[in-house]
Amino acid sequence: MAVESPARARRRGTEAPYVDQYRDWLRMMILIRRFEEKAGEAYSLGQIGGFCHLYIGQEAVAVGTISALRADDYIVSAYREHGQALARGLSSRSVMAELFGKATGCSHGKGGSMHLFDAALHFMGGHGIVGGQIPLGAGFAFAARYRNTDQVSLTYFGEAAANIGSFHETLNIAALWRLPALFIIENNGYGMGTSLKRAASITDLHQRAASYGIPGVEVDGQDVVAVRQTTDEAVRRARAGEGPTLIEVKTFRYMGHSMSDAASGTYRSKEELDASRQRDPIVLLESRMRDLDMLDDAGVQEVEASVVAEVADAVKFAEESPDPDPSELWTNVYAPEPH
Amino acid sequence: MATLTYRDALNAALREEMQRDDSVFLMGEEVAEYDGAYKVSRGLLREFGPRRVVDTPIAELGFTGIGVGAAMVGLRPIVEVMTFNFALLAIDQIVNAAAKIRYMSGGQIGCPMVVRGPGGAALQLGAQHSQAFESWYAHIPGLKVVMPATPADAKGLLKSAIRDDNPVIFIEGEMLYNQKGDVPDEEYLIPLGKADIKRPGKDVTIICHSKTVAPALNAAKTLSDEGIDAEVIDLRTITPLDQDAILASVAKTNRVVVAEEGWGFAGVGAQVVDVIQREAFDQLDAPVIRVHQADVPMPYNKHLEKAAKADATRIAAAVHQVCYRN
């Protein structure tokens, strides 16, 4: 009988509560990756318009955080939110159709890539103004507390948004009122083309939590298990009435800021990008699962095949879906008058 | 019929709506323990407690955005801004979030909130505290803009604004808080989007809102001594704009003066004139004349300040012009 390695035994210990979910997480991370690759292609073909900010490289953040939530918790994000929407359970059809601007999209074609919404799933939108969504997340937490539910609210933003006034104003108030909120900085190192080093006086952004008297935690965003463990603790605190947590997730985007800039060249080197790929979140989870004898080559191929089929179906659905009726131009500006 | 100040009429509206609906809450600077910077929220903390009357730090962007978030998930926040000059700090949340959530989400998520507080000039407060911003908000689809001129209107319009399922910008007149007027004792609502004939007349229409209603009525009194019978239309809500009321009055009088507190360029009056020239051009016996604040930052000096503001004298002079009575 083979003797279990100490590393594996340790993992079995701390990871035990999560192992059963690895397969789902792996599938979701690969789905997000393949979905985004296909979105990039569709953008290049002119099927997706406007801005399109891809999430490739950051998949473990969405999956690790959202898997810690209940269905009635709230999520709000910025404009790089396709992956989070999928992780929340929006169908790849409804997200792809929204990117295509179709009536069947999750925002009925009126939102686009930056404004994915699904009220039923408490996915409260992608928002396009840097930092603009941060107070909204605190507002959902305020409402939960007002109604005396134990829902929590999770707000995503990039590291550049941590330099915006709304970050400071909201964290101060959320801490003061002990709101059940998680503030997740997805620190991928670059605000558009500006390195964090050129934009922030301190680059360990979780340290800013100290100025609000709340916990500030740094976590390896390429490690989905670590992200999940950190989120679990923050959710526990929030539900217990202990207030907000600031989580800085160190991650990396493989692509440019949006489809309009190259992955590397202008503001970061190819070497830096290549180095980041050495810690690919999907590869890391796969190797973990292989260590635990949960996955082999055939298993990977099976997941890939199923995901590729799902994304192909989503694209077909989006292509075949109708544009919104022209009359929709005028709907939803104001609430319908009550009867 | 009770005689109430504009301030107390607003207070009564807040109290009644908070009693009626637990999802209504008031949030802002000094609204609770201080009893309101302008005492509009007087007594509400005592009655409703700190869960529903919430003091905030001086952080307009943050607390307005928290209000937007709360409204997106079904609460009905009333966000008090100490003055609309300070709401400039929150304008990203009002314009980029509150006004657009419903549209961007394809109708899934609304934003039933009221942002309210005093706007416009008081006396010698200088350039940063003397600004009428209604045209800014009226420019944004998705917002409604309400501006009551009397205590009765203030109460009935605020109650409607709180019950409205849209984000409503409710701008109170800083100089009106002490104005007294008759307010019905029984429960009533004034619908948003309905102008009011504050004085009927047949010779000329003066279209005004908020703080220009009183000088318009004063001007009308002076003019009636000269034999000019002026009709005074109070818009009450800027958006939706009551075009029917405007056009009905134009059809009756054929002469129009538009008076407003704010700056002229791209102001509310410009929009009113556009409606009139498009829909009632043939009914006009004279070009429409606008009276508004001088297009300068408000000076501190009291003589210069007076010269900058629209007043009864200037409104009467404009009426003389459209009646060719110079």
Side-chain angles (χ1 to χ4, degrees), chain B residues 110-188:
Chain B
C111 187
M113 74 187 294
V114 177
V115 180
R116 52 154 289 273
L123 293 173
Q124 287 195 272
L125 297 185
Q128 293 179 334
H129 282 71
S130 309
Q131 305 178 88
F133 283 125
E134 52 266 36
S135 65
W136 286 37
Y137 299 105
H139 188 65
I140 308 299
L143 300 179
K144 293 186 177 180
V145 181
V146 180
M147 297 193 70
T150 68
D153 286 358
K155 185 178 176 194
L157 289 167
L158 182 54
K159 285 168 68 81
S160 292
I162 293 168
R163 295 187 197 188
D164 199 280
D165 286 333
N166 298 286
V168 179
I169 306 301
F170 193 94
I171 305 177
E172 299 155 11
E174 186 162 339
M175 293 292 284
L176 298 177
Y177 282 132
N178 284 328
Q179 299 287 314
K180 287 183 177 168
D182 289 339
V183 175
D185 297 321
E186 68 280 5
E187 159 104 31
Y188 68 99

Side-chain angles (χ1 to χ4, degrees), chain A residues 74 106-108 110-111 115 117-119 129 132 135-136 139-140 142-143 146-147 166 169 177 329 331-335, chain B residues 22 24-25 51-52 54-55 59 61-62 65-66 68-69 73-74 93 96 102-108 142-143 165-166:
Chain A
Y74 293 106
C106 59
S107 305
H108 307 315
K110 284 178 165 177
H115 308 303
F117 286 84
D118 193 318
I129 307 295
L136 303 182
F140 310 147
F142 178 92
Y146 189 93
R147 291 171 166 142
S166 66
E169 294 191 18
W177 295 351
L329 175 64
T331 61
N332 311 130
V333 180
Y334 292 96
Chain B
D22 182 68
V24 177
F25 70 97
R51 171 173 168 264
R52 300 184 64 199
V54 183
D55 274 329
L61 177 66
I66 289 172
V68 174
V73 297
Q93 288 300 323
N96 275 318
R102 182 176 295 278
Y103 201 81
M104 293 195 304
S105 69
Q108 295 178 79
L143 300 179
D165 286 333
N166 298 286

Side-chain angles (χ1 to χ4, degrees), chain A residues 36 41 48 74 91-92 165 204 211 241 244 265 277 282 289 291:
Chain A
E36 291 287 70
E41 271 178 50
I48 295 172
Y74 293 106
S91 71
S92 28
D204 285 322
S211 48
R277 288 178 190 272
I282 295 173
M289 292 172 70
D291 277 0

Side-chain angles (χ1 to χ4, degrees), chain A residues 211-291:
Chain A
S211 48
Y212 312 107
I214 62 171
V217 193
E218 180 183 334
V219 60
D220 174 4
Q222 307 312 92
D223 180 348
V224 66
V225 181
V227 173
R228 171 59 188 267
Q229 285 172 326
T230 301
T231 311
D232 275 342
E233 170 56 14
V235 168
R236 186 203 63 72
R237 291 189 70 253
R239 288 209 212 287
E242 294 169 26
T245 302
L246 178 66
I247 300 174
E248 179 185 4
V249 184
K250 288 269 174 68
T251 184
F252 210 93
R253 63 167 152 84
Y254 291 178
M255 312 298 284
H257 164 72
S258 74
M259 287 300 293
S260 61
D261 67 320
S264 65
T266 323
Y267 56 86
R268 63 180 181 185
S269 66
K270 185 168 182 309
E271 292 70 32
E272 184 184 349
L273 187 55
D274 289 344
S276 75
R277 288 178 190 272
Q278 298 308 305
R279 300 198 66 256
D280 183 90
I282 295 173
V283 173
L284 288 180
L285 180 59
E286 277 183 7
S287 62
R288 218 179 196 118
M289 292 172 70
R290 285 177 194 266
D291 277 0

